[in-house]
Amino acid sequence: MVMTPSLRKFMLTLHIIFAVGWLGAVAGFLVLAIVGLTSYDEQMVRSVYLSMGLIARFAIVPLSFAPLLTGPILSLGTPWGLFRHYWILAKLLLTVVSTIIMQLHVQPINLLASAAAKATLFPANLHDMQVQMVIASAVALAVLIVETALAVYKPRGMTPYGWRKQDELRAESNTDPK
Amino acid sequence: MSQNRATPRWVKVFVVIIIALILLVVILHLTGNDFGGHMKHSALELGIRQLWS
């Protein structure tokens, strides 16, 4: 099914909003994670982890799932396809892995946020978790930057499936007298 | 017009990097180490436990 140009542009706009929005939310999350780890101001640290909980719940989680919907719709509705080009496969793989890893970190984020909400002094035994938040969000940001670069540069390379589909289309157009 | 159907170099490099990162994470976890130091309740472990419970 090939989308009309107006529908394709609409889906592309949505996809870019979600994907770049996700990148921005993770960048902000990383800043907060670094401040939470390095600051000696108790109030600042507690505020940071409360904010991180909100950003994760209302921005990062929904924005991470949205491109998994708009991306395949966009691919399958255009001649690009979902499995024909390596750059699209790479983006799909990176998005799936990033979303899974992000989901695995939701509980620890909530733990840090609730610890910040309940305690007057932020617990010291959560230090390792604070470090992991910095590392995880830095890695997530790097992955999203790579995905953005892939989307813009669209490096060449068709999969074997893509070559097969292209051969089939060419065979059809050769045999179809117009 | 001849078409080069070989897998592009960037794809091979990408796959190697992904495999290397996965191996790194697995080895670190198996040896009891992690990016945040020694931790019994790391963020990732907590998330995995929650997922499987």
Side-chain angles (χ1 to χ4, degrees), chain A residues 3-171:
Chain A
M3 290 188 283
T4 60
S6 58
L7 181 58
R8 185 188 63 80
K9 284 180 186 173
F10 174 71
M11 290 305 300
L12 182 61
T13 303
L14 278 184
H15 187 64
I16 292 171
I17 288 170
F18 293 144
V20 178
W22 185 12
L23 192 152
V26 171
F29 190 90
L30 174 60
V31 169
L32 291 176
I34 291 171
V35 170
L37 180 66
T38 57
S39 175
Y40 291 105
D41 183 338
E42 276 293 325
Q43 206 166 12
M44 173 75 83
V45 169
R46 291 177 57 213
S47 303
V48 153
Y49 288 108
L50 286 170
S51 303
M52 284 169 68
L54 292 170
I55 289 174
R57 190 186 308 171
F58 295 112
I60 294 179
V61 169
L63 286 172
S64 70
F65 280 106
L68 278 177
L69 291 174
T70 55
I73 290 172
L74 203 49
S75 298
L76 293 169
T78 64
W80 283 108
L82 191 56
F83 304 111
R84 301 184 192 187
H85 297 267
Y86 281 117
W87 71 267
I88 296 176
L89 262 185
K91 277 195 70 186
L92 180 64
L93 175 68
L94 289 174
T95 303
V96 167
V97 169
S98 301
T99 304
I100 290 171
I101 291 175
M102 191 260 334
Q103 281 298 306
L104 291 174
H105 282 87
V106 166
Q107 187 66 18
I109 291 168
N110 289 336
L111 197 78
L112 287 167
S114 63
K118 289 171 188 172
T120 50
L121 285 176
F122 197 74
N125 62 342
L126 295 176
H127 177 76
D128 289 341
M129 209 171 285
Q130 291 173 273
V131 171
Q132 270 223 337
M133 286 298 119
V134 174
I135 293 166
S137 47
V139 169
L141 185 63
V143 167
L144 291 172
I145 289 171
V146 167
E147 286 193 43
T148 306
L150 283 171
V152 173
Y153 284 92
K154 296 181 175 62
R156 283 189 183 184
M158 286 182 78
T159 63
Y161 171 77
W163 283 117
R164 199 163 56 245
K165 293 302 283 185
Q166 191 177 76
D167 292 341
E168 284 173 11
L169 285 168
R170 282 186 181 160

